[in-house]
Amino acid sequence: MFSILQFEEIDSTNAYLKREYSNLKDMTVVTSLHQTQGRGRLSRIWQDDKKSLMFSLLLKENLNPARLSLLPLLTGACVLKTMEEYNLPASIKWPNDILLLEKKCAGILLESVTKDVLQCLVIGVGINLNDEAFPSSIQDKAISLKQVTGQDYDKNDFLNRFLKHFEITYQAYLNGDDSYLDIIRSHFYLQDKTVLLNYYQENKHVKVKGIDDLGNLLVTDGDTLKSINSGEVTLENTYSK
Ligand code: BTN
């Protein structure tokens, strides 16, 4: 099902697929040992020291714009399932961060190419597998699997396990089965926490109530229940449960 292309160095596996999608098959996976211009959500940089697993997956067929917002969560559920196979108790911070010991160990970046209509989707995943240290600017927030267990993780083994989960879960998703949301809900780091939500340039404290069936964040703002489909959530040190 998957065709895998491996590079030693590339600008960004997401950028590569967005450039080359018309020459590539649905379900092409690109990995690279190093990215020179790796990127994250909200135009952030994704830096690597060759120790993290970085890959992107191309989706060209069966695209349904109405169900797009579920794909980062579906991908996150597959990362969580893979980590469970290594006995790593991870959680997810909506919409795209995977946490270990309350620090980020993986991120997901969904991008699309549209020319009149949607042409393709690219799901990029970066997982801090074997990193021993992080730049001082992020060392309080980032963690690697190796930092937690002291073990080295094989990149191909992790990727193959992830792809097995993705194949099954994505097929179910195409058939309208979103039961991977149960995994998200049972590993949901933000549940019942008060967070600072940045939504359309506005900052607000809201209480997280859950995730709805479209993958949106459910929050209460005072007495009003709201469904949030994009934005950035910050947990402050003094959050209350
Ligand atoms: C985030 O945490 O904001 C998302 C990070 C996504 C990083 C991955 S690494 C592979 C792929 N290529 C990129 O340039 N970004 C994604």
Side-chain angles (χ1 to χ4, degrees), residues 178-190:
D178 293 324
S179 47
Y180 56 86
L181 285 175
D182 297 342
I183 296 163
I184 297 295
R185 291 180 177 125
S186 62
H187 292 73
F188 186 35
Y189 181 69
L190 299 176

Side-chain angles (χ1 to χ4, degrees), residues 12-14 35 38-41 46 55-56 96 104 107-108 125:
S12 146
T13 54
N14 265 40
Q35 296 186 129
R39 50 195 203 214
R41 278 180 75 237
W46 175 276
F55 63 93
S56 301
N96 77 328
K104 177 165 170 171
I108 297 157
V125 184

